[in-house]
Amino acid sequence: MFEFFSLVIALAAFIFARKAMNQVTALRARLEAIEAAPATAPRASPPPLPTPAFEQTPQPTAPSIAPEPPPLAPDVESIAPAAAAPADAIDTAPSAPATPPPPPQPDRGFEETLGTRWVVWIGGLTLALGGFFMVRYSIDAGLLGPGVRTILGGLFALALLAAGEWTRRKEDISAIEALPIANIPAILTAAGTAVAFATVSAAYALYDFLAPATAFILLGMVALGTLAAALLHGPALAGLGIAAAFVTPILVSSGKPDFWALYVYLAIVTAAAFGLARIRLWRWLALTTIAFALLWTFPCLQCGPSMVAPHAFHVLAGFILAALLVVCGFMFGPPADEGQIEPISSGALAAYLFGATLIVLNSFHADAAMIVFALLVAGTLLVAWCTDAAAGAVGAAAALVFIVFAEWAIRGNPDMLVLPGGPLPGIGPNATDGSVSLHLVSAAIFAAGFGLAGFLAQGRSASPVIPVIWSAASVFTPLALLIALFARIAHLDRSIPFAIVAVILAAAFAAATEILTKRDDRPGMQASIALFATGALAALALALTFALEKGWLTIALALMSLGTAWISMQRPIPFLRSLAAILAGIVVLRIGYEPRIVGNDVGTTPIFNWLLWGYGIPALSFWTGSILLRRGGDDAPLRTVESAAILFTVLLAFAEIRHAVTGGDMYRVSTSLTEFALQVCVALAMAIGLERLRIRTQSIVHNAGAVLLTIYAGLATVFGLMLLETPILWPTDVGGAFINLLLLAYALPAVLALLLSYAVAGRRPAGYANTIAAGALVLALTYVTFEIRRLYHGPVLTSGPTTGAEQYTYSIAWLAFGVVLLGIGILFNSQRARLASAAVIALTILKAFVIDMSTLTGAYRALSFMCLGLVLVAIGWLYQRILFRRQAAPPVAAPDAG
């Protein structure tokens, strides 16, 4: 009992101390006001206190939901503004000096902050903890029984609540300037609600005094009472109340949960929180309520598809409450700005739609879940139609509709997600899956709803963004649903009925494009027209895909990119350029999934097989699209399409080479000299073409593509032609005497490399061009050497020993090759050719002294050195007489003796 009396005495002391502190504060404020007023001027009443924006009475032009106020702000409604001085008083005394404004108040010091804010906050927390510790002490000491402890806790909570209300009513600072102090009434009330919440929890969880239903009702009443008190005491109490309200179901649990009771309670809490947020225009409270309500959807989904009804009621009730109280410009919501998307309004509807989506997926598309989901989608379109503030939810609704039907399609086709160890767990048809007929009807309703609403919404808003959102959803939703139904019902095989539907859809989009084109221009109209036109092209591409084989999907998407690029020329909308690039990226990802385009059905005929159509038509589409896009400027979408054009062209050539060499087995783990030779020739030829093209276009993509192809050709030459598949090291049949594989692998690349070196001469660094020329020289010399070996050893160059005649032939051939290069250099005045000649002749000299001297004998050795000497002398004579001939100086005339 002593502790109880101590508690009573502490409460009384606190009340008296609080009263004294209020009096001191009021006197101090009035004294400062008197000192600040001039001695000669009459004492003027202070100006009326401004009402904070987040608590203003909503006007027709006010913003939707104001930002969150600072915590524990003073109650504005209890502050009565002082009457301003009448205007006619100033007119009667024009010569009197105007009353100077009051001097600025000094910044709040540490002492004032400590005394007016920190002490009060800590005091409120201490009061709440004091109640908890008192109960804990009584439990440890065994002083009081459980019933008495519970009663005392309740009385202490009531005392704190009464103190909070009493201080709120007694606090009167209307005649002085408001101080930024902590809200003492709100803190006392918050402490009281916290103690009350803990008391009821202890009575239920610790002492079993209350049944679960009774405890649940009491805790809910405490939470709702806290929200109600927040109308008087500010946002801090509202935060405490909303947290307590949504935590209550966790504290009160039972072995057999009643979901209907839970969701009815959550609906009441949500309505109270939304109502409070609407009255006080607290944005943060609306967001917090939506987040808590959505979180309560997740744990309840674990109960299985049999509990669809209460879960559906939860999201349906929350959606209706959000539409009535939160969405700006609709029913009882805050006023909205015309043509502006309000994030809270759109996000609230999207959040409950997401909850409905989770219920549909978790219930395996049960009929009841699909119906509720359809109702929420229809409600979203209705609300967004009535107010632009919720237009952002239209895009979210379209995306969620596609997710629902895409998951249904994948679940019905487990082969789409087959792994080496088997299909993924939970993938495959389920006995409780929604019926196909219901999904067909739902898809038709969704497609018609989004399509018509998106078309009819054009021209209704002054904002350019709103009609674009509607038109994007109008185009995306029918196309996405058609693809999902095609995957589920036709299993991605040919289907003429789906192709007919796609053609009808294309006709509808084309008609919408034509009708909108004839209307007067409005904000966003051009972008919407472009989107409907793109939808028509997409539907036609899908029709081709549905009517033809699977590989035509790649072709259709590539043609769609070309069509989008063409539309961007007719309707210069920046989004269309990006869309063309996005479609090109999708086609690239498509071939990454299956490089053969049509799998094993690629065919065995060289060149004229599915690779030609699967890579050639997209490459042609991307090249044409890049030409069209270049007319609108050089930007990222153009570069993306140009990159795709180069990539598909290279892949077409390499894939056809691979197909021809392997006989149609694209995945054979093997390489050959023929494949490397063809790849090097193709890479060099494409590099030459890109070097010529970049001169005209000045495109960074063409520039980089030429460099990358040149680098690849160099690497393939070094590692493929010279090391991995060189016929001098491996037993490779090179074919006939002169028309053979050596001509393709070394002679033709040498010619192409030489042409490439001249293509880049003067346009790239000299070292780059000289390196390519050196590669051409090495390839040419290699060809000459291997061709001589072919004449001595037959088709397999590794067979048989090397004779003296063969070594002598190498020397003579190298020497002749050097002389030919020198003649070309003299004839065309090419220093590069003369330097190449010098390099070949130096190599011949080195061979003569290192190899010929040690391996050749007899006449071959003598002839080798004799020929080499004669050639060297002849070369010296050519340089002296032709290249660097010096004119003789004219004779100096003798002086005349006479």
Side-chain angles (χ1 to χ4, degrees):
M1 295 297 295
F2 177 79
E3 288 78 8
F4 175 74
F5 288 116
S6 299
L7 178 61
V8 174
I9 295 172
L11 286 175
F14 172 79
I15 293 173
F16 285 114
R18 170 60 184 155
K19 183 176 181 180
M21 186 175 65
N22 286 340
Q23 294 175 351
V24 171
T25 303
L27 291 174
R28 178 183 176 185
R30 292 181 179 179
L31 180 60
E32 291 177 352
I34 293 173
E35 292 176 351
T40 59
R43 183 176 178 181
S45 300
L49 295 175
T51 305
F54 56 86
E55 290 186 277
Q56 289 179 357
T57 302
Q59 300 296 330
T61 58
S64 57
I65 296 180
E68 177 183 350
L72 297 178
D75 181 21
V76 181
E77 296 176 0
S78 64
I79 302 175
D88 55 356
I90 301 177
D91 297 335
T92 57
S95 60
T99 302
Q105 296 294 330
D107 294 337
R108 190 171 59 250
F110 174 76
E111 180 182 2
E112 184 177 353
T113 302
L114 179 65
T116 60
R117 309 188 90 181
W118 294 1
V119 170
V120 181
W121 292 341
I122 297 173
L125 178 62
T126 305
L127 284 174
L129 292 177
F132 298 153
F133 292 154
M134 180 63 67
V135 175
R136 182 59 181 270
Y137 171 74
S138 64
I139 293 173
D140 295 339
L143 300 177
L144 302 174
V148 178
R149 297 172 197 158
T150 305
I151 293 174
L152 290 179
L155 292 176
F156 185 53
L158 291 176
L160 289 175
L161 293 174
E165 180 62 17
W166 182 79
T167 54
R168 186 189 70 81
R169 295 187 178 184
K170 292 296 183 181
E171 195 171 51
D172 183 11
I173 54 174
S174 61
I176 60 174
E177 183 181 358
L179 296 176
I181 59 176
N183 195 341
I184 294 176
I187 291 176
L188 291 175
T189 306
T193 55
V195 173
F197 199 82
T199 300
V200 177
S201 300
Y204 162 73
L206 297 179
Y207 308 129
D208 293 330
F209 288 159
L210 302 175
T214 305
F216 185 80
I217 293 174
L218 290 177
L219 289 175
M221 291 175 62
V222 172
L224 293 175
T226 305
L227 287 176
L231 285 171
L232 302 175
H233 294 282
L237 204 59
L240 178 63
I242 195 64
F246 280 100
V247 170
T248 293
I250 300 177
L251 299 178
V252 181
S253 60
S254 62
K256 296 181 179 180
D258 188 351
F259 287 103
W260 279 108
L262 170 64
Y263 286 136
V264 169
Y265 164 77
L266 291 179
I268 296 173
V269 171
T270 303
F274 282 164
L276 179 59
R278 171 62 185 92
I279 294 173
R280 300 300 295 268
L281 296 180
W282 285 340
R283 176 190 296 264
W284 65 270
L285 183 58
L287 283 174
T288 305
T289 305
I290 295 169
F292 275 124
L294 184 61
L295 288 176
W296 265 111
T297 306
F298 289 92
C300 299
L301 292 176
Q302 304 301 321
C303 299
S306 60
M307 298 298 297
V308 172
H311 303 334
F313 168 78
H314 173 56
V315 296
L316 187 60
F319 183 90
I320 294 174
L321 291 172
L324 293 177
L325 299 174
V326 175
V327 176
C328 299
F330 183 78
M331 298 301 288
F332 307 107
D337 294 333
E338 184 180 358
Q340 297 295 325
I341 298 177
E342 208 281 315
I344 303 300
S345 302
S346 300
L349 301 182
Y352 286 105
L353 267 177
F354 178 69
T357 304
L358 294 178
I359 296 173
V360 171
L361 301 182
N362 187 74
S363 64
F364 301 103
H365 297 253
D367 292 353
M370 284 294 299
I371 293 173
V372 172
F373 178 73
L375 290 176
L376 263 62
V377 172
T380 301
L381 296 181
L382 175 62
V383 175
W385 183 269
C386 296
T387 173
D388 291 341
V394 175
L400 292 174
V401 166
F402 172 68
I403 290 174
V404 167
F405 280 83
E407 194 270 347
W408 179 66
I410 293 175
R411 187 178 292 278
N413 295 273
D415 55 324
M416 295 182 184
L417 295 177
V418 170
L419 298 177
L424 294 175
I427 298 298
N430 191 285
T432 60
D433 276 2
S435 63
V436 174
S437 59
L438 176 63
H439 282 75
L440 284 175
V441 174
S442 301
I445 295 175
F446 286 142
F450 277 94
L452 290 175
F455 173 74
L456 296 176
Q458 303 306 310
R460 296 183 68 251
S461 176
S463 170
V465 179
I466 306 299
V468 171
I469 293 177
W470 279 103
S471 59
S474 175
V475 172
F476 168 79
T477 306
L479 293 175
L481 292 177
L482 186 61
I483 294 173
L485 293 175
F486 173 71
R488 174 64 187 257
I489 298 174
H491 304 283
L492 298 180
D493 290 330
R494 293 179 58 190
S495 176
I496 299 301
F498 275 101
I500 295 174
V501 174
V503 172
I504 295 173
L505 191 60
F509 286 144
T513 304
E514 184 66 18
I515 294 173
L516 293 178
T517 304
K518 297 178 180 179
R519 292 184 181 179
D520 295 335
D521 193 15
R522 293 289 301 275
M525 181 69 74
Q526 296 301 319
S528 298
I529 293 173
L531 285 172
F532 280 109
T534 305
L537 290 175
L540 288 177
L542 289 177
L544 292 175
T545 303
F546 298 157
L548 303 173
E549 299 294 337
K550 297 178 181 178
W552 286 99
L553 177 61
T554 303
I555 297 175
L557 291 174
L559 293 175
M560 184 177 170
S561 176
L562 171 60
T564 306
W566 179 79
I567 294 175
S568 70
M569 296 299 302
Q570 311 302 318
R571 305 287 180 182
I573 306 299
F575 171 72
L576 290 179
R577 299 175 65 86
S578 301
L579 180 59
I582 292 172
L583 292 172
I586 293 175
V587 177
V588 172
L589 294 177
R590 168 69 177 84
I591 65 168
Y593 173 74
E594 176 51 84
R596 297 174 299 177
I597 308 295
V598 290
N600 295 325
D601 299 331
V602 66
T604 57
T605 304
I607 306 300
F608 297 99
N609 49 57
W610 243 106
L611 297 174
L612 180 62
W613 320 119
Y615 283 101
I617 296 178
L620 182 61
S621 299
F622 294 145
W623 279 114
T624 308
S626 66
I627 294 174
L628 296 176
L629 292 177
R630 179 163 292 280
R631 299 175 184 176
D634 190 353
D635 54 4
L638 169 64
R639 295 172 183 176
T640 302
V641 176
E642 286 181 340
S643 300
I646 296 174
L647 177 63
F648 268 79
T649 305
V650 173
L651 291 179
L652 170 63
F654 284 13
E656 288 285 9
I657 291 171
R658 181 72 174 169
H659 179 274
V661 171
T662 60
D665 188 3
M666 301 288 293
Y667 291 155
R668 180 188 298 175
V669 185
S670 64
T671 56
S672 63
L673 181 63
T674 303
E675 185 173 359
F676 275 118
L678 290 172
Q679 288 182 357
V680 170
C681 291
V682 168
L684 290 173
M686 290 184 180
I688 294 172
L690 288 177
E691 289 290 350
R692 295 297 184 185
L693 184 60
R694 78 178 184 89
I695 297 174
R696 187 176 73 249
T697 63
Q698 298 297 319
S699 172
I700 188 174
V701 175
H702 296 159
N703 182 26
V707 173
L708 291 176
L709 285 172
T710 303
I711 293 175
Y712 174 80
L715 294 176
T717 299
V718 173
F719 294 100
L721 302 181
M722 297 297 183
L723 294 177
L724 297 178
E725 297 296 335
T726 177
I728 200 67
L729 298 178
W730 311 104
T732 303
D733 190 346
V734 298
F738 293 100
I739 307 301
N740 51 35
L741 185 56
L742 298 175
L743 190 67
L744 176 66
Y746 299 98
L748 184 56
V751 174
L752 291 173
L754 182 62
L755 293 176
L756 180 59
S757 67
Y758 278 102
V760 301
R763 297 184 177 90
R764 292 192 183 273
Y768 185 82
N770 292 335
T771 301
I772 298 174
L777 178 63
V778 172
L779 285 170
L781 190 61
T782 302
Y783 169 72
V784 171
T785 304
F786 286 177
E787 188 62 41
I788 293 173
R789 190 166 181 83
R790 165 64 185 80
L791 296 175
Y792 279 95
H793 293 265
V796 181
L797 305 187
T798 57
S799 63
T802 303
T803 63
E806 182 180 350
Q807 288 288 0
Y808 175 73
T809 306
Y810 289 147
S811 299
I812 295 300
W814 289 9
L815 195 60
F817 183 59
V819 172
V820 171
L821 288 177
L822 179 60
I824 293 174
I826 295 174
L827 181 62
F828 295 99
N829 193 24
S830 173
Q831 184 183 22
R832 182 183 296 175
R834 295 195 299 269
L835 293 176
S837 170
V840 173
I841 292 175
L843 183 63
T844 306
I845 296 173
L846 181 64
K847 178 181 180 297
F849 283 96
V850 175
I851 297 177
D852 294 354
M853 186 177 292
S854 60
T855 58
L856 295 182
T857 57
Y860 288 122
R861 179 188 297 179
L863 290 174
S864 176
F865 278 88
M866 290 171 61
C867 291
L868 179 60
L870 290 175
V871 170
L872 293 176
V873 171
I875 291 173
W877 181 84
L878 289 173
Y879 270 85
Q880 291 177 7
R881 296 292 181 181
I882 299 177
L883 293 177
F884 299 103
R885 181 178 181 179
R886 295 183 180 180
Q887 300 292 336
V892 180
D896 190 0

